[in-house]
Amino acid sequence: MNAHDDTRAGLENALARAAEAETLLVALDFDGTLAPFTDDPADSRALPEARSALEELLELDRTYVAVISGRPMRFLRSVVDPAGRMLLSGSHGAELLLDALGDPDADTGLQLTPAQQELLARATALVEAQVARYPGAKLELKPTGAAFHTRTMADQSLCARAEQEMIEQFERLEELKITPGQHVVESSVHSATKGEGITAFMQATGADVTLFAGDDVTDENAMRELGPADLGIKVGTGESVAAHRVASPEELAAALAGLARLRRGAVR
């Protein structure tokens, strides 16, 4: 058995153990995890196999599904979960929606102070100027920050330089949170993290076992909140504290489908 087979077998065993949990929380990042990256972030959609697996899990007793993303809540509600059956955390933990638990009073909206609004405007202006310097680069404006995307740049050999310049420009703004990622440099005027989002969901559901999968640097904050009985899955390359790894969203979708089958048998 080669190293890849060892890794696959280890993940399959971990999924089987998770499926037997009394209460299971399946929490997932969106971009690069449930959905492949797209040139236009607005076009991103979960893979059909992943979507089907989540819908099957949502039908099962004592089983919760959550999406924890840097996307704004409006995108998560309209595109990711229009039926309102999932727990949602948007804007890197700054927005929480727990309606699926029947407790709307626990939801947290997003309100920026005047100082944060001014900081966001300054960060946005910096990204706009950087986009003008690098053809094909894009600005993504979020409720708490501005992101500089390089995946669509005309000259991909300049991506690293453009991203480093963006980091240096963001660093001039005090109180701005800066998070480099894969072909993106994100900024935020809010200090929340995905770790806060997953912690809120673990506490709200009383989960005995939590599975979390993510692909980027920001997801590591959530990975670090997992306990010994929980299951972390890194999607793609890069360093991670997760004990398990899959190569792509397609591989994760297959793993989720397997988990759904196992879980269906366990909760009967």
Side-chain angles (χ1 to χ4, degrees):
M1 182 178 290
N2 61 34
H4 178 73
D5 291 333
D6 286 337
T7 300
R8 183 170 59 196
L11 176 57
E12 289 174 351
N13 290 336
L15 291 171
R17 289 193 297 271
E20 297 291 333
E22 179 66 20
T23 301
L24 175 64
L25 170 63
V26 179
L28 306 150
D29 173 47
F30 185 70
D31 294 290
T33 301
L34 286 174
F37 287 109
T38 57
D39 288 345
D40 186 345
D43 295 334
S44 186
R45 297 293 185 273
L47 290 168
E49 187 177 12
R51 184 76 204 185
S52 295
L54 297 186
E55 289 174 354
E56 186 172 353
L57 288 166
L58 285 165
E59 295 292 336
L60 301 176
D61 291 339
R62 308 185 310 279
T63 308
Y64 300 93
V65 174
V67 172
I68 302 175
S69 173
R71 295 286 194 133
M73 186 62 73
R74 62 178 180 272
F75 177 88
L76 300 181
R77 295 187 70 172
S78 63
V79 173
V80 179
D81 182 38
R85 303 171 68 197
M86 301 179 187
L87 305 173
L88 301 175
S89 173
S91 300
H92 296 288
E95 300 175 286
L96 294 178
L97 186 67
L98 293 92
D99 285 6
L101 296 178
D103 186 12
D105 290 338
D107 298 342
T108 63
L110 184 61
Q111 293 184 337
L112 299 183
T113 66
Q116 288 174 323
Q117 292 173 6
E118 180 183 356
L119 183 59
L120 176 55
R122 295 175 65 189
T124 301
L126 287 178
V127 178
E128 289 173 338
Q130 189 73 342
V131 166
R133 284 190 287 271
Y134 288 95
K138 291 185 177 181
L139 159 70
E140 182 185 6
L141 186 59
K142 301 183 178 184
T144 63
F148 175 66
H149 288 271
T150 62
R151 191 174 300 275
T152 54
M153 274 177 48
D155 187 346
Q156 287 289 295
S157 69
L158 298 178
C159 288
R161 187 176 83 181
E163 291 164 14
Q164 182 58 38
E165 289 177 359
M166 191 76 264
I167 292 171
E168 293 171 358
Q169 292 168 43
F170 279 155
E171 287 175 342
R172 299 171 188 167
L173 300 180
E174 294 184 10
E175 306 300 326
L176 187 69
K177 178 183 174 183
I178 307 165
T179 308
Q182 299 181 45
H183 289 282
V184 63
V185 180
E186 299 205 43
S187 68
S188 177
V189 300
H190 202 287
S191 61
T193 70
K194 290 184 179 181
E196 294 174 45
I198 198 169
T199 297
F201 291 155
M202 292 164 73
Q203 293 174 348
T205 60
D208 299 293
V209 173
T210 295
L211 179 154
F212 178 74
D215 73 300
D216 214 338
V217 176
T218 57
D219 299 310
E220 293 302 304
N221 291 315
M223 295 288 188
R224 294 187 184 95
E225 297 301 319
L226 299 179
D230 299 326
L231 171 56
I233 304 175
K234 168 74 173 181
V235 181
T237 60
E239 295 183 4
S240 177
V241 299
H244 301 278
R245 184 184 300 266
V246 295
S248 64
E250 288 79 9
E251 285 195 13
L252 179 68
L256 292 173
L259 174 64
R261 290 191 295 272
L262 293 166
R263 182 65 175 169
R264 185 174 63 245
V267 298
R268 283 179 177 172

